[in-house]
Amino acid sequence: MTAFVEECRREWKRLGVPELLAEEMATDLEADLAEAQSDGVSAAEILGESDPRRFAETWASERGLVSEAPPQKKSRKGLWIGLAVAFVILVFVGFFSLAFITVGTSGSGGSVAVLRPSARPVKAVTVPNLVGMGVCKAVVTAHNLGLIVHAPDGPCDAVVVKQKPRAGAVVRGDTTATSVVTLRVRRPRG
Amino acid sequence: MQCMALESRRSQMLRGVLDLCLLAVVVDEPAYGYEMTRRLRERGLSIVGEGSIYPLLGRLEREGLVATHRAASDGGPPRKYYSASPSGRQALTEGVLAWRDVRGGVDSILAPIEAEVAR
């Protein structure tokens, strides 16, 4: 059964489940399986599934830990469409300018087409207040908003005592550098 | 073949109410994952073949229907305990009413059939 749990760990890593939460799930599953075994209960009753990858994926996905497909593809598509439209406009403008010049119209100065890169859709995220939360809950909350979370390893009942950026700050979800939330935690005593 | 069809029907019926059963076993006292399976078994509900409870617990957690905390278990490693949150209790109450409503209607239709089969 350790192999099953190990396979789950790998799958969660592949799916981008935050490490802290993946470890929590793996630890719980391992402990449950060991206890079931000592009770003479089959692993099938606990797992209900023989494929560890599917099991891990379903669990993480139901928990909301599997990130949506990154918006990059959509943005790229938008960029390409934007470029195609800009190109067509440029061709038309060029054609009419040329026609204008060819028919001998004298004018002062032609039109200048300025191509600006189409703005990528940016998702602004307001950083929630995570201070006082259990670190696992804080990680899930931030993760579900599309934020990248840096939290120290440790038990889930460690409490967040400091966060950066502060609550209420607006970060842009498309920029890796600004969408990171770093947590400092206080571990429980004992 | 008939056995498989029966299993499939049982599975489908159970899937619609398994979340309520999970909420029901933690409404009075928190429990960790395996402990919940144990409580279901003690009350006569085996979930072999119905899939695992973990994805369902994940969904209940995501929807805020269960609250969780970590605590030491009896002689074992610290475990994640689940308990019904206030909205979980509300969902359980509503779910039980819906279940009773459906069960009442179905029973009134199926009861005569059952009597005939029993004869």
Side-chain angles (χ1 to χ4, degrees), chain A residues 156-170:
Chain A
C156 279
D157 49 357
V159 177
V160 177
V161 291
K162 198 170 181 184
Q163 69 177 75
K164 195 178 170 186
R166 59 178 172 69
V170 178

Side-chain angles (χ1 to χ4, degrees), chain B residues 58-78:
Chain B
R59 181 162 64 79
L60 292 175
E61 189 179 359
R62 179 163 53 92
E63 290 172 354
L65 300 179
V66 288
T68 63
H69 69 278
R70 243 182 147 72
S73 60
D74 294 338

Side-chain angles (χ1 to χ4, degrees), chain B residues 89-104:
Chain B
R89 287 168 188 271
Q90 174 74 20
L92 179 60
T93 307
E94 288 167 5
V96 167
L97 290 175
W99 163 252
R100 286 181 184 154
D101 185 40
V102 170
R103 190 189 61 186

Side-chain angles (χ1 to χ4, degrees), chain A residues 137-161:
Chain A
K137 192 175 177 190
V139 170
V140 174
T141 305
H143 181 83
N144 287 344
L145 290 169
L147 298 167
I148 297 162
V149 191
H150 286 177
D153 286 339
C156 279
D157 49 357
V159 177
V160 177
V161 291

